[in-house]
Amino acid sequence: MKKNFLLASWLFGLGNSFSAPLLGLYIYINSSVIYTIDFLLVSSVFILTGYIVVGYLSSVWKRSTTYYVTGAALYIVFYLTLFALGRSAPEHLALIGPLYGIAQGFYWSGWDVVFYNTPKKLNFFNKSSYLGFITGLVSPGVYGGVLSVLHNSGYGVLFLLTAVLLLFSMAFVEDIPIDSVRLSLRNAIKVLDDNRAYKETMVALAVISGVNYVMGSLNVVLLYSVSKSYFDFTLLNYVLTSASILSVYVLRDRLVNKVKHYKLVLTSSVALVLSGPSVLLGAPIIYLLVFSVTSPLIYPVIDVVNWNNMDRRFLMDYLVNRQILLNTGRILSSLSEAFITGLSPNEGVISLLPLVLIASLIFAKANSKKQVALEG
């Protein structure tokens, strides 16, 4: 069977899209929001743990599939565990939280190695967006239809469906040798001092990542609040997904090599921040539409520049350092969500938007004097 990293990634994403967006909701409806936040916190900590473990193991087992396949298998075990536990799952956070985090750490370690060796990274992102459009069309209809008919018992069906697709995705993953020296946590942290260009883009990326982590939950709530029915919710979701795809292929593809990257990111961030007041004025759909258009012009651009700033001789050091910062953003976002849940979703959005502008200014400062070529 021919190996295809893009296909493997898409199948994994498709399978996960039937269940992952609902995990917080599933825990919440069977317990409380505190359990959901605890799940996010524990998972974030163990994602980083997984990366560190892989970093040490990579000096012994130097094939990416070792970690990619192990991670996918742990994902499958996680979803089967949720199926077995049923509505009592929130009572076993000490089991499912670490399991989900370790699965992500192993899977994305293997994924990162393959992606780092992908010659045209932005091209990969663009093709992923095409396939992501298919996912965006299919997944809301699948989980919405299943839950509408089967209600709470439908979650088990979705977990099993996800497990099957993740198993299928494992057949297509490419195997890439890991060209890296033995991991040193001290060196993993030290790369920030040794590589200034990487440090500045990584800090900006971590801030945006943290914001997106929280926005992912708040935006769904806002979208549901303007929908009069699940049909309307699905239709509006399709409109926003289409806006994101058009942003990638009409705007980003045309502008990324014509406009300085920091200007593209900064302009998009300003537009997003300016759309914020529409949430308080009773028109959150304006903000949601602007978010859908500008989001592909912010995080992916910073991310690709950041990847190009890495030194492949110390790949594992960089991958662990990347996860330290990204997971710091996720952990802080999880903590802040405890505060945000005391506010309305509208106020939560407004409180987070300035961080997008701050991250973009950090990126602009680091890249205003140079233009790193985006491969692809």
Side-chain angles (χ1 to χ4, degrees):
M1 182 178 293
K2 185 177 179 179
K3 306 300 181 183
N4 188 307
F5 179 49
L6 182 64
L7 179 59
S9 296
W10 175 64
L11 286 173
F12 181 90
L14 177 65
N16 230 15
S17 72
F18 296 147
S19 297
L22 305 173
L23 289 177
L25 177 62
Y26 181 67
I27 293 173
Y28 169 72
I29 64 175
N30 290 305
S31 55
S32 70
V33 70
I34 299 300
Y35 281 82
T36 298
I37 294 172
D38 287 346
F39 173 74
L40 294 173
L41 277 170
V42 173
S43 296
S44 295
V45 170
F46 278 89
I47 293 171
L48 179 57
T49 302
Y51 261 90
I52 293 174
V53 170
V54 170
Y56 283 111
L57 292 178
S58 64
S59 63
V60 180
W61 293 300
K62 292 181 172 290
R63 309 300 302 187
S64 62
T65 49
T66 302
Y67 311 105
Y68 191 110
V69 171
T70 299
L74 289 173
Y75 264 103
I76 293 171
V77 172
F78 167 73
Y79 285 116
L80 293 179
T81 300
L82 286 181
F83 175 78
L85 292 174
R87 301 186 66 174
S88 68
E91 301 172 15
H92 299 85
L93 288 184
L95 170 62
I96 62 175
L99 180 57
Y100 190 51
I102 292 289
Q104 291 180 77
F106 269 71
Y107 174 83
W108 291 108
S109 291
W111 191 95
D112 282 350
V113 170
V114 180
F115 177 72
Y116 184 80
N117 287 276
T118 299
K120 296 183 177 181
K121 296 179 178 63
L122 193 62
N123 187 45
F124 179 90
F125 271 131
N126 289 341
K127 289 181 178 179
S128 294
S129 296
Y130 270 129
L131 294 173
F133 178 66
I134 297 175
T135 300
L137 290 176
V138 172
S139 60
V142 171
Y143 62 68
V146 170
L147 294 178
S148 295
V149 174
L150 300 177
H151 304 290
N152 281 349
S153 60
Y155 285 99
V157 174
L158 293 172
F159 296 152
L160 291 178
L161 178 59
T162 294
V164 170
L165 284 175
L166 297 191
L167 181 63
F168 188 53
S169 74
M170 292 164 62
F172 293 94
V173 64
E174 297 177 55
D175 189 17
I176 300 294
I178 300 176
D179 182 19
S180 180
V181 297
R182 180 178 176 83
L183 172 70
S184 166
L185 280 180
R186 177 181 295 180
N187 291 339
I189 296 173
K190 191 170 177 284
V191 297
L192 291 174
D193 295 326
D194 295 340
N195 189 336
R196 183 178 179 84
Y198 167 82
K199 174 183 179 179
E200 292 174 328
T201 54
M202 189 64 240
V203 170
L205 191 69
V207 174
I208 293 292
S209 177
V211 171
N212 285 349
Y213 187 77
V214 176
M215 290 294 201
S217 298
L218 294 181
N219 287 353
V220 173
V221 174
L222 287 176
L223 183 60
Y224 185 79
S225 71
V226 300
S227 305
K228 296 181 179 180
S229 66
Y230 179 72
F231 176 79
D232 290 342
F233 176 81
T234 303
L235 183 62
L236 288 172
N237 194 28
Y238 288 160
V239 170
L240 297 179
T241 301
S242 299
S244 292
I245 297 298
L246 289 175
S247 176
V248 170
Y249 293 104
V250 176
L251 295 178
R252 193 172 75 194
D253 267 10
R254 295 184 180 183
L255 296 177
V256 75
N257 292 318
K258 297 179 181 179
V259 179
K260 288 184 180 296
H261 305 143
Y262 78 90
K263 290 184 178 180
L264 181 61
V265 170
L266 191 57
T267 301
S268 301
S269 299
V270 170
L272 180 58
V273 171
L274 291 177
S275 73
S278 68
V279 175
L280 298 179
L281 295 175
I285 192 65
I286 295 176
Y287 153 75
L288 290 170
L289 185 60
V290 174
F291 182 91
S292 297
V293 173
T294 58
S295 185
L297 306 177
I298 301 173
Y299 184 93
V301 174
I302 299 176
D303 196 24
V304 172
V305 172
N306 185 251
W307 278 100
N308 289 339
N309 285 332
M310 292 183 183
D311 186 339
R312 69 177 300 121
R313 294 174 301 170
F314 310 104
L315 179 57
M316 273 302 161
D317 289 336
Y318 277 93
L319 294 184
V320 171
N321 179 274
R322 172 185 171 89
Q323 287 306 313
I324 288 174
L325 292 182
L326 290 180
N327 279 284
T328 297
R330 294 184 185 118
I331 291 169
L332 292 177
S333 295
S334 300
L335 289 171
S336 67
E337 194 160 0
F339 170 72
I340 291 171
T341 52
L343 303 172
S344 69
N346 296 3
E347 293 169 320
V349 166
I350 294 298
S351 68
L352 287 172
L353 284 178
L355 293 177
V356 177
L357 187 57
I358 291 172
S360 298
L361 288 171
I362 294 173
F363 179 71
K365 178 179 179 294
N367 290 268
S368 59
K369 297 181 181 180
K370 64 175 182 174
Q371 177 82 352
V372 179
L374 295 191
E375 300 174 5

